[in-house]
């Protein structure tokens, strides 16, 4: 019996409006590293579904940088700590050092992969230089009066370092050990967001919120020229040199990524994201890297929504866009028949994942405006139903990857037809619920799929976009599940109640399962509807079966979790189940031997929120770290 990680479909980079988001690529041009929530992800550039996750930070991460050798990564967080770790496995931490009393904004390595300069927003100092293996001090970073946003070290000797700050100056340092040499002022009149030495060490470039690009001599720090005056219409958040040191790329809040000829000082190519002529805040480009060791002219930028945009010199459009979730994934369900997983996150975003390729797709249409609390898939009509804390029920057409919304034609028809049915049908896709939704399920009534939404007021039944029934419960529901006509509802009063979806059952006629000892946190029917698993807030799982026509407790020995069970999914054969909980672990249980289980420890940092079991040996989990993980399960009877 075993459960092994098969794929990590990584979260998108964490971004912040008005701030740069550092991207780093290794010297061979094979991998990219970035910060997301409290993790660092190292991803293959060619195959983004191949990734590693570093989870040893205890605070929100801010930056990750590959060493020139490619064997190590240095990463920083908002608490001022820098970790140096193995880039291959993303597990072994070489050293953890506290640099400043505040956020780390950027990190730079020297050419020998031995020294690190980390800078940010500290109290006594804004940066420090240390050795990567021991943390010994090898220089002072001084000369600035405000937080330092960026740093770069010359990769050749004599060693030089440059820092850009909110005080509008560029600091220039001689090393090693690094000592302050000069402060270059008067070139930028607003915050400096990015600086980098060219790969051959001959030049430095700096960019900032004043939309200026300045070039300096790499040895002396002497200002040489300004290029691209007036080209960018917004703050420049990032800059990166081409491997040949003749070109550089910049990204800006004006939604553009531009390539520059450094010698001639002119823009040779420009890409603009979003619709032409319109302002799109999510398309602001906040980070960029030009991977070395490649000859295909690939440039990768990140936008405010966290999408990684792949540009290639000579092509007019992005050659690829890698999507994902930036925030915690709070709900998920899958359609195994077409190999698609649908996920929703705490910021209201929805994505569909092709499980064969690992690619995430944007779901078109109007999404939830905040927390997605539950998702349910209807296998009969290939529709996905989601509920969120914006108090709406929304419908996704799985075949088109789009939210079902009223077309202009149907709205016009509805305006002429004043019947209630016509108006409600026209708004199919977004229905206001009568309270904050706790869960959603799909039941079959009369051979037709109906949607059930649980709120504090009870259960509401919807069909074809209109409300067709309402069922009160003795206690406010916390979760809901359905199989065929049977509906199960869990409550804080430690009861599971079952009734038929078509009926408006009285409290007396509801079947009550009274064995649970703690409030019910999640429910799941087996595929054939003959079994029901109930997860409790204390980590236990109770399994009921309906083999003899009445519901009876089959086992209460699935009790491995140490915190609230958040999700359960049954295997296709209905004999095994996978569960996730706030204790960060994923367990696989079997009815053949209830006392045994297999465990994936620390599957998701800060908790598992959704699980699915689409194939016999494949289990999927999603969690607060914003990523989707695919697990291979073997030997479970």
């Amino acid at each position: 019996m075993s459960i092994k990680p098969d794929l990590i479909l990584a979260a998108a980079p964490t971004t912040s409006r008005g701030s740069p988001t550092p991207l780093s690529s290794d010297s061979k041009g094979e991998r990219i590293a970035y910060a997301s929530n409290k993790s660092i992800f190292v991803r293959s550039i060619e195959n983004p579904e191949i990734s590693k996750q570093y989870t040893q930070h205890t605070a929100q991460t801010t930056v990750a940088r590959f060493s020139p050798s490619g064997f190590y990564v240095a990463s920083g967080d908002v608490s001022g700590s820098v970790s140096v770790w193995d880039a291959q496995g993303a597990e072994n931490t070489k050293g953890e050092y506290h640099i400043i009393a505040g956020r780390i904004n950027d990190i730079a390595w020297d050419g020998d992969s031995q020294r690190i300069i980390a800078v940010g927003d500290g109290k006594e100092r804004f940066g420090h230089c240390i050795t990567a293996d021991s943390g010994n001090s090898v220089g002072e970073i001084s000369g600035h009066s405000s937080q330092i946003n960026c740093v770069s070290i010359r990769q050749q000797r004599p060693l030089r370092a440059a820092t850009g700050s909110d005080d509008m100056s560029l600091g220039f340092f001689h090393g090693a050990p690094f000592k302050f040499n000069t402060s270059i002022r008067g070139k930028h009149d607003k915050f400096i967001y990015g600086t980098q030495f060219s790969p051959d060490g001959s030049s430095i470039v700096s960019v900032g919120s004043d939309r200026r690009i300045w070039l300096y001599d790499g040895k002396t720090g002497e200002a040489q020229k300004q290029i691209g005056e007036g080209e960018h219409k917004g703050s420049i958040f990032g800059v990166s040199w081409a491997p040949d040191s003749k070109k550089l790329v910049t990204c800006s809040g004006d939604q553009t990524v531009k390539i520059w000829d450094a010698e001639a000082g002119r823009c040779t190519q420009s890409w603009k994201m979003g619709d032409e002529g319109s302002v799109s805040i999510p398309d602001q480009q906040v980070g960029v890297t030009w991977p070395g060791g490649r000859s295909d002219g690939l440039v990768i930028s990140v936008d405010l929504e966290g999408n990684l945009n792949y540009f290639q010199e000579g092509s007019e459009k992005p050659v690829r866009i890698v999507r994902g979730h930036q925030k915690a994934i709070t709900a998920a369900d899958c359609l195994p028949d077409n190999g698609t997983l649908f996920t929703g996150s705490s910021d209201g975003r929805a994505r569909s994942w092709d499980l064969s390729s690992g690619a995430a797709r944007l779901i078109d249409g109007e999404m939830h405006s905040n927390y997605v609390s539950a998702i349910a898939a209807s296998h009969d009509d290939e529709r996905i139903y989601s509920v969120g804390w914006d108090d709406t029920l929304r419908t996704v057409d799985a075949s088109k990857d789009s939210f079902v919304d009223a077309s202009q034609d149907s709205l016009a028809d509805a305006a002429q037809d004043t019947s209630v049915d016509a108006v409600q049908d026209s708004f199919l896709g977004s229905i206001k619920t009568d309270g904050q939704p706790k869960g959603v399920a799909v039941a079959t009534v009369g051979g037709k799929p109906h949607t059930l939404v649980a709120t504090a007021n009870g259960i509401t039944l919807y069909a074809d976009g209109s409300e067709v029934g309402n069922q009160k419960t003795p206690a406010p529901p916390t979760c809901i599940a359905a199989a065929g006509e049977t509906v199960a509802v869990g409550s804080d009063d430690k009861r599971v109640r079952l009734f038929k979806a078509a009926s408006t059952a009285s409290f007396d006629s509801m079947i009550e399962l009274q064995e649970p000892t703690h409030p019910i946190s999640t429910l799941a029917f087996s595929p054939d509807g003959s079994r029901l698993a109930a997860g409790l807030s204390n980590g236990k799982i109770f399994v009921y079966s309906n083999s003899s026509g009445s519901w009876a407790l089959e086992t209460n020995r699935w009790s491995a979790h140490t915190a609230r069970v958040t999700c359960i999914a049954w295997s296709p054969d209905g004999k095994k189940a996978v569960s996730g909980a706030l204790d960060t672990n994923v367990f696989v249980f079997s009815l053949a031997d209830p006392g045994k289980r297999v465990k994936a420890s620390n599957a998701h940092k800060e908790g598992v929120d959704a699980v699915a079991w689409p194939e016999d040996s494949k289990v999927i989990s999603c969690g607060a770290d914003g990523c989707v993980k695919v697990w291979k399960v073997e030997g479970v009877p």
Side-chain angles (χ1 to χ4, degrees), residues 83-116:
S83 293
V84 179
W85 41 278
D86 164 38
Q88 301 298 320
E91 291 176 350
N92 301 323
T93 302
K94 189 179 182 183
E96 185 178 335
Y97 316 111
H98 191 74
I99 304 295
I100 55 175
R103 174 191 169 96
I104 301 289
N105 286 333
D106 201 3
I107 295 170
W109 289 82
D110 73 345
D112 303 326
S113 300
Q114 292 180 347
R115 301 174 188 86
I116 292 171

Side-chain angles (χ1 to χ4, degrees), residues 32 135 226 241 250 282 295 383 391 443 523 532:
I32 188 171
Q226 181 188 354
W241 284 92
T250 56
S295 57
R383 290 203 164 174
D391 294 354
L523 293 167
L532 174 66

